[in-house]
Each structure stands twice: as C-alpha cells, then as structure tokens.
Amino acid sequence: MPFFIVQGDITEMQVDAIVNAANNSLLGGGGVDGCIHRAAGPELLKECASLNGCDTGDAKITGAYRLPCKHVIHTVGPIWRDGKHGEENLLTSCYERSLQLAVDNNCSSVAFPLISAGVYGYPKDQALRVASETIVGFLKDHELEIYLVIYNKSDFIPDRQRFEELGLLLDSEMASAALARAPIQQLDEALNHLDESFSQMLLRKIDEKGLTDVACYKKANLDRKLFSRIRSDAAYHPSKPTVAALILSLELTLDEAKEMLAKAGFALSRSNAFDVIIEYFITKRIYDVYEVNKALFCYDQRLLGSK
Ligand code: APR
C-alpha cells in the first residue's frame, strides 16, 4: 500500500491510528503532543497516566476518544544532541515500533508527524530522511496506508541541492519538443493497425524488466486493486500520476516514458510543474517514487501513488 506526504493537522486525519510525538512521561506537553491531547479530551490523559511512561524509541497505544481516528500511538523520539549518541537508531525505532503496534492492532492506515523535528531539535532534513526510509522499508513487507503529516511547510526541508536544481528547471522557459508523427493518410488503414495499447505496453515492459506485478505496483506506490484493474481492463484509462508512477517503477527512458504517456493520452509539457518534475527525475534516472513525491509535495503538486 502507498506512502503519502501531506500537509495538515494530524488531529484531523481520518485514519485508523495517528502517532503522537510524546515525551517519556506520556503526560502531554506542547507541539503535536499538546494538539492531540487537546483534541482527544481529558480521557486520553487519564489512559496515558495508567501506562507508566514510555522509553525513548518505544511506543504505546491508547484509544483516541474525541479524535476522528481509532487509536493514538504514543512514541518518544530522541532529543537531538549531535548525531553521535544513537539518535538515528532511536528515531528509526520510533517509526518501526509504532508501525508494528499499528499492524498488531489491525490498523490499515496510520499517520505520523515528523517525530523529534520540533522541540527535540532533530535536523528536519535528517528527520524526514529517517522517516521516509523507515516507512518505505516497512512497506516492502507490509500492506498499510501510511501518511507523513507536515504541519508547517517550512518543516519540510528535503535534499536542498536537488531541489535547487529542480527549482532552476521549473523557472526556466524551455520549448517542449512536440511528438512529431507522420500524418494519418487512410483512416481505415490506421484503425486496422492501432498501436500497442497502454496496458499492452505496460505488460510488455514488466516482462522485459523481469518484474513481478507485486514488485511493479509496490515500486509505483500503487495499491493492488488499482493495478489489477489496469492490468485486466484494456479500456481502463489511468490518471497521469498513475502512469508516471508506473514509468518510474519500470525505470523507463525519457523516450519510452513519452511513448507510454502518449498511449494513455498524455504528454509532458514544460509549462506544467508536475510534468517538469517528472521529466527531471527520469532524465536524471532517479526512479525512487518516494523521492519524486518529496519534490511534488514541495511544489504543491499531486503525489504519485494511489489510495
Ligand atoms: N499536526 C502535525 N504535525 C504537527 C502538529 C500537528 N497538529 N503540531 C506540530 N507538529 C509538528 C511540528 O511542526 C514538528 O515538525 O510535529 C513535529 C514534531 O514536533 P514536536 O511536537 O515539537 O515533537 P518533538 O520534536 O518530537 O518533541 C517532543 O515536545 O510537545 C513536546 O511533549 C512533547 O516533550 C515532547 C516534545
């Protein structure tokens, strides 16, 4: 199942479980901890008080009371010192323990804040990297819908160098090369020799790449239902983000990508930020959908993947 980065207030997320960036006492505090307790009501504090605290890197689960979710998973992130006191391992453990608790409690969706990236001072770009890597790693062996909720866009500091490069590309005006094709002379001739369809090209490429269907849709951040629909219904028209996600999953060249997009009725335009971002990553041969989603999130574009 997919992993999405969204901007918003985690207390409003309608998922099975939200994760709280708590402290060892579990008795509330500021930041997201304060928001969650305020929104949940006093019963949450009462239940937390019965848990006898929580170790850093560990997680405990409670009810959600007045929140629009079923559970709150309280985890305690490391306080950043200098990166040489096991901070990364402890932060990774927060995500892993919280995800395991979500699975153990039959949750199908979970939302995280950027743990330790506030009061606890973890450098935001590193906090984002640890969160993404741990979540993506967990999704290799589990089916779960996971959201990383960014409260303030300024908290979202990804790999700056890459995004500056991308920013330059987005600002520059470049003409797009039109897909030049020979004009159609005979309509019936053309209709009798239709090109390969989108789904036929998709299946051919999956075979050529030696991928399984599962590997293909997981790499594309798509869920199984959508993929099987694309695979089985030749008349199904996927969205552009879905086609882009499959292009990255298949690691196509730019020409192959343009061909696959055209078969689904789309083209890459230099006047469209989404298209420029997709073309940039394909040109750089960076096919990690989660990396691309960070750039799309940064520029307020639709993310790749499906719910
Ligand atoms: N929804 C989503 N994210 C939020 C929200 C919210 N309503 N409020 C804050 N955040 C974000 C912050 O912007 C930050 O990126 O959560 C991230 C974590 O920040 P903190 O809440 O400060 O948590 P942390 O850095 O882990 O420090 C934990 O702070 O609140 C106290 O009791 C808590 O002592 C503990 C410490």
Side-chain angles (χ1 to χ4, degrees):
M1 294 266 267
F3 164 41
F4 290 104
I5 300 173
V6 296
Q7 186 172 2
D9 179 344
I10 200 166
T11 63
E12 295 168 4
M13 291 296 288
Q14 310 215 0
V15 290
D16 286 345
I18 64 170
V19 177
N20 179 22
N23 57 52
N24 297 112
S25 73
L26 294 186
L27 298 180
V32 69
D33 196 2
C35 292
I36 289 174
H37 274 276
R38 277 192 299 278
E43 302 90 338
L44 179 61
L45 183 59
K46 197 155 168 260
E47 184 176 356
C48 284
S50 69
L51 297 177
N52 299 319
C54 181
D55 292 336
T56 300
D58 197 2
K60 292 190 176 178
I61 193 165
T62 66
Y65 303 100
R66 299 174 198 170
L67 286 160
C69 56
K70 295 175 191 159
H71 307 280
V72 178
I73 294 171
H74 307 265
T75 191
V76 181
I79 296 172
W80 177 262
R81 294 171 62 183
D82 55 12
K84 299 187 183 89
H85 290 77
E87 292 98 323
E88 179 158 337
N89 289 340
L90 285 167
L91 187 57
T92 301
S93 172
C94 285
Y95 287 97
E96 288 174 340
R97 282 287 302 127
S98 299
L99 287 165
Q100 195 53 56
L101 268 180
V103 168
D104 295 347
N105 287 272
N106 303 312
C107 297
S108 58
S109 54
V110 62
F112 284 93
L114 209 48
I115 298 163
S116 283
V119 167
Y120 280 2
Y122 211 106
K124 298 182 190 314
D125 58 334
Q126 293 186 53
L128 178 67
R129 176 182 53 76
V130 172
S132 306
E133 287 175 358
T134 311
I135 290 168
V136 170
F138 189 85
L139 280 175
K140 286 190 170 60
D141 308 314
H142 298 84
E143 295 283 330
L144 202 59
E145 195 170 287
I146 303 174
Y147 296 87
L148 182 62
V149 183
I150 303 294
Y151 195 50
N152 304 308
K153 204 64 181 293
S154 57
D155 287 356
F156 187 78
I157 305 178
D159 168 358
R160 182 163 298 288
Q161 186 269 331
R162 176 174 296 159
F163 288 81
E164 270 158 10
E165 225 174 77
L166 190 54
L168 288 172
L169 190 59
L170 282 170
D171 293 344
S172 68
E173 287 303 310
M174 286 187 261
S176 64
L179 270 174
R181 296 286 307 267
I184 291 175
Q185 302 297 352
Q186 298 288 336
L187 182 56
D188 55 348
E189 172 74 10
L191 289 172
N192 289 333
H193 295 84
L194 289 177
D195 282 354
E196 178 187 49
S197 72
F198 166 78
S199 51
Q200 287 165 337
M201 180 178 179
L202 172 65
L203 302 183
R204 174 169 60 84
K205 283 295 174 189
I206 290 173
D207 289 345
E208 283 174 12
K209 303 285 181 178
L211 281 174
T212 62
D213 284 2
V214 175
C216 179
Y217 71 71
K218 277 192 177 273
K219 277 181 74 184
N221 200 29
L222 297 176
D223 69 14
R224 182 170 31 81
K225 285 195 296 284
L226 174 60
F227 185 82
S228 54
R229 192 148 170 228
I230 295 171
R231 208 196 192 295
S232 55
D233 178 359
Y236 180 75
H237 284 288
S239 69
K240 193 178 216 179
T242 297
V243 177
L246 289 165
I247 285 167
L248 294 170
S249 167
L250 294 164
E251 301 188 6
L252 301 186
T253 63
L254 186 56
D255 286 344
E256 290 172 323
K258 287 179 177 174
E259 184 188 353
M260 181 169 266
L261 280 160
K263 289 181 185 301
F266 301 113
L268 287 178
S269 152
R270 285 298 173 82
S271 56
N272 174 315
F274 176 89
D275 292 5
V276 169
I277 292 168
I278 296 302
E279 182 169 342
Y280 166 82
F281 280 95
I282 293 172
T283 306
K284 293 276 182 184
R285 302 192 67 76
I286 299 166
Y287 293 108
D288 181 332
V289 163
Y290 306 103
E291 275 307 301
V292 178
N293 269 347
K294 286 179 191 171
L296 293 169
F297 178 81
C298 229
Y299 290 96
D300 301 315
Q301 299 301 310
R302 263 185 80 181
L303 301 188
L304 303 181
S306 66
K307 293 188 187 173

